[in-house]
Amino acid sequence: MKPTLFVLAAGMGSRYGGLKQIDGLGPNGETIMDYSVFDALRAGFGKIVFVIRKDFADDFKRVVLAKYEGKVPCEICFQAIENVPEGYTYNPERTKPWGTNHAVLMGKDLIKEPFAVINADDFYGKESFEVLAKFLNEVAGKQNQYCMVGYRVCNTLSEHGSVSRGVCETDAEGNLTNVVERTSIERKENGIVYTVDGVDYALPENAPVSMNMWGFTPEYFGYVEEAFKTFLKERGQELKSEFYIPTLVNDLIVAGKATCRVLDTTAKWFGVTYAEDRQMVVDKIAALTEAGVYPNPLF
């Protein structure tokens, strides 16, 4: 059974100013998601599941899903603030859903095979989907062996200033032991540094960082469901609390319930965080297309 690609597309790009998931950035109006789907298909994924907002469904089907018809099976599920387990409550003044791991939980009835999780608005590169597909095929039929793609920090920097990244620490087998959030990462004259309290600390060019590209087997949904109940008991009354994937993965590692292999990739990540980033992404996709990495048109 081929692995499934699970695309988190329920967020609005508030800083970017619109639904960046359906913004056409390729030579023929392709979205960043289109490139992820294309890369996943040629890496051997067999199905795509999207989690979106319900009020976005008509636009999404018209702009995104229509172009995949006849090329790959696609399904959609919906993330909404009221999607909580029966008997659990939350602050009625809350306006936003519960974060990335809550979005993952929405796919539990649709996904029964090993699956990858990605953001809709990040360009991950074909090499990442290749290493991810290989890992997911190897763990088919197994449990509690997860992975994340560890991008080399030098391939994730922004031309518009500093970035924040989760820097990964691994053991001798390449399994994740810790993720440390580093802020103010940028390239300076003496190399890549991160800044703490005004002091620069060196970061190796190839230090692995997380860009929210994960691989799981289906029992992960059970862990998510139980952890979400605990989260709601502890933080459900907060207005802005978020239920994140790395938090649960770390808890499972610490408890000895699961491992998470950090997969190295040479791919270059890029994304549209701010409106100023848009032209850079358009130019990079155009260059990849001209180099023959992607056909034109894509589909």
Side-chain angles (χ1 to χ4, degrees), residues 5 10 29 41 45 62 72 77 80 88-89 92 113 128 137 156 191 213 220 228 236 243 246 257 279 282 296:
L5 180 67
L41 289 179
F45 285 77
R62 175 179 53 81
V72 59
C77 53
Y88 287 79
T89 61
E113 55 283 317
S128 296
N137 283 319
T156 73
M213 191 180 203
Y220 180 71
F228 188 44
F243 183 49
K257 292 182 178 178
Q279 190 57 48
V282 170
N296 185 7

Side-chain angles (χ1 to χ4, degrees), residues 183-186 188 190 193-202:
T183 59
S184 302
I185 300 173
E186 59 186 319
K188 294 189 176 180
N190 55 342
V193 299
Y194 64 90
T195 305
V196 179
D197 297 329
V199 179
D200 288 348
Y201 297 88

Side-chain angles (χ1 to χ4, degrees), residues 273-286:
T273 304
Y274 304 100
E276 293 79 15
D277 294 324
R278 188 182 187 281
Q279 190 57 48
M280 175 270 294
V281 174
V282 170
D283 293 344
K284 287 188 174 182
I285 291 174

Side-chain angles (χ1 to χ4, degrees), residues 156-203:
T156 73
L157 300 179
S158 170
E159 296 166 16
H160 295 290
S162 65
V163 298
S164 298
R165 298 284 181 257
V167 180
C168 304
E169 297 174 1
T170 59
D171 62 19
E173 282 76 48
N175 290 319
L176 186 67
T177 57
N178 194 22
V179 179
V180 181
E181 192 67 26
R182 298 295 187 196
T183 59
S184 302
I185 300 173
E186 59 186 319
R187 185 180 293 284
K188 294 189 176 180
E189 288 178 13
N190 55 342
I192 300 173
V193 299
Y194 64 90
T195 305
V196 179
D197 297 329
V199 179
D200 288 348
Y201 297 88
L203 201 56

Side-chain angles (χ1 to χ4, degrees), residues 120-166:
D121 46 13
D122 289 345
F123 191 101
Y124 289 104
K126 75 182 187 75
E127 299 88 352
S128 296
F129 288 95
E130 290 165 0
V131 297
L132 200 46
K134 182 175 183 290
F135 180 91
L136 291 173
N137 283 319
E138 288 171 356
V139 297
K142 300 176 183 176
Q143 291 191 340
N144 304 317
Q145 295 178 39
Y146 307 145
C147 72
M148 59 155 280
V149 176
Y151 280 76
R152 300 171 184 183
V153 67
C154 62
N155 289 332
T156 73
L157 300 179
S158 170
E159 296 166 16
H160 295 290
S162 65
V163 298
S164 298
R165 298 284 181 257

